[in-house]
Amino acid sequence: MSFKIALECAARQKDSNIILALDLVSDSHSALLSKSIALVKKVQPYICAVKINHHLVLPLGLFNGVQKIIRTTHSFDLLTVMDCKINDIGDTNRVIANNYYDAGFDAVIANPFVGWEEGLQPVFEVAKQMKKGVVLLCYMSHKAAWEGYGQTIQQHDKLTAQYVAFAKKALEWNADGVVVGATFPEKIRDVHQILADKVPIYAPGVGAQGGDVRAAIQAGATYLIVGRTIINSSDPAAVARQIREKAHMRDK
Ligand code: XMP
């Protein structure tokens, strides 16, 4: 089963399209690990996946602490995504993807700016061999995203927006998803027009970054990636449940 289908199944089974961004910080590595595992256990009934990034991999190490978090996450039938934004030459990208997949991650996030040949092609090859997923950046959630993803480019003698070209590449490369910031519902709408239901849209940026749950869903987001709004609340499970209810797929 592809990662795309596996995540659809997890979302259906958990009745949730919320992906927890497990972005905890702590001066103590052992506290960081135990807090991360405790948070996954608390929030797990209300999410379909956990996204991890450098907040945890740098202090805890991939094959030590992070692998324990991946195993805990999988024990609740949730999937795991590594937000490593792969962005190097192909041979290096292959090694990066291989390591994250070997550690147990179900999918990685990659940056289409590096292109296909000697860029992301090896990542897609490894993903295929290992039956894992690749999610592409399309339009990021932060304010300066327009400087890169919003540029106008010339392609086949026509002017087009960079993120529109990336959405088309996601189709061409058979990506498992694209990331478009919930902070830009109009960009989600544009991308959704290109991808329809063929490639799901992952939208980070609700809450702490100012994005609105309903606006992102109504524009066409399939999954919402949520970190600080859940993590920093006094009752993370209750907040995750509320966001899930607000985002509910049936209300789309
Ligand atoms: P917050 O706390 O803002 O966390 O809910 C959002 C999480 O998502 C990551 N992030 C992104 N990842 N493309 C990505 O691949 C993006 O455009 C993007 N915007 C935010 C962020 O690092 C955090 O983990």
Side-chain angles (χ1 to χ4, degrees), residues 85-87 109-116 120 124 135-139 149 162 165-167 169-170 173 178:
K85 299 183 175 70
I86 295 178
N87 193 32
I109 296 177
N111 195 342
F113 267 112
V114 292
W116 181 251
L120 292 186
F124 279 86
V135 175
L136 296 177
L137 295 177
C138 192
Y139 196 100
Y149 301 90
Q162 183 67 80
F166 286 159
K169 280 189 196 300
W173 298 350
V178 294

Side-chain angles (χ1 to χ4, degrees), residues 2-196:
S2 71
F3 172 76
K4 188 175 91 169
I5 303 290
L7 189 55
E8 266 175 43
C9 293
R12 215 171 302 125
Q13 195 196 335
K14 294 279 176 174
D15 199 19
S16 174
N17 59 351
I18 307 302
I19 299 175
L20 173 68
L22 193 59
D23 296 341
L24 293 171
V25 282
S26 171
D27 292 336
S28 151
H29 291 179
S30 63
L32 185 59
L33 178 59
S34 56
K35 273 164 66 179
S36 301
I37 289 180
L39 191 69
V40 171
K41 286 182 178 169
K42 264 190 213 153
V43 171
Q44 59 83 18
Y46 311 112
I47 58 175
C48 59
V50 171
K51 182 184 80 67
I52 288 176
N53 72 19
H54 301 101
H55 294 67
L56 299 184
V57 174
L58 293 178
L60 299 181
L62 179 57
F63 290 97
N64 300 309
V66 167
Q67 204 167 44
K68 292 194 182 97
I69 300 169
I70 293 171
R71 287 184 182 142
T72 303
T73 305
H74 285 161
S75 74
F76 295 110
D77 295 330
L78 301 169
L79 298 182
T80 52
V81 179
M82 179 59 208
D83 191 355
C84 47
K85 299 183 175 70
I86 295 178
N87 193 32
D88 213 311
I89 59 164
D91 279 347
T92 304
N93 291 339
R94 181 187 288 111
V95 173
I96 296 169
N98 234 322
N99 273 285
Y100 286 125
Y101 293 150
D102 273 348
F105 277 106
D106 301 297
V108 295
I109 296 177
N111 195 342
F113 267 112
V114 292
W116 181 251
E117 200 177 345
E118 294 184 8
L120 292 186
Q121 183 177 15
V123 175
F124 279 86
E125 281 169 5
V126 174
K128 201 169 178 189
Q129 279 158 19
M130 298 179 75
K131 298 194 168 51
K132 304 279 188 172
V134 184
V135 175
L136 296 177
L137 295 177
C138 192
Y139 196 100
M140 287 186 69
S141 60
H142 64 302
K143 289 209 173 79
W146 65 272
E147 292 183 26
Y149 301 90
Q151 290 179 103
T152 301
I153 58 164
Q154 187 167 353
Q155 224 182 17
H156 315 299
D157 289 337
K158 275 194 191 154
L159 293 181
T160 186
Q162 183 67 80
Y163 71 94
V164 167
F166 286 159
K168 290 179 181 163
K169 280 189 196 300
L171 273 178
E172 193 188 320
W173 298 350
N174 199 21
D176 294 272
V178 294
V179 183
V180 183
T183 38
F184 301 104
E186 72 286 1
K187 302 292 191 279
I188 296 179
R189 207 172 291 282
D190 291 347
V191 171
H192 188 250
Q193 269 184 2
I194 297 164
L195 301 179

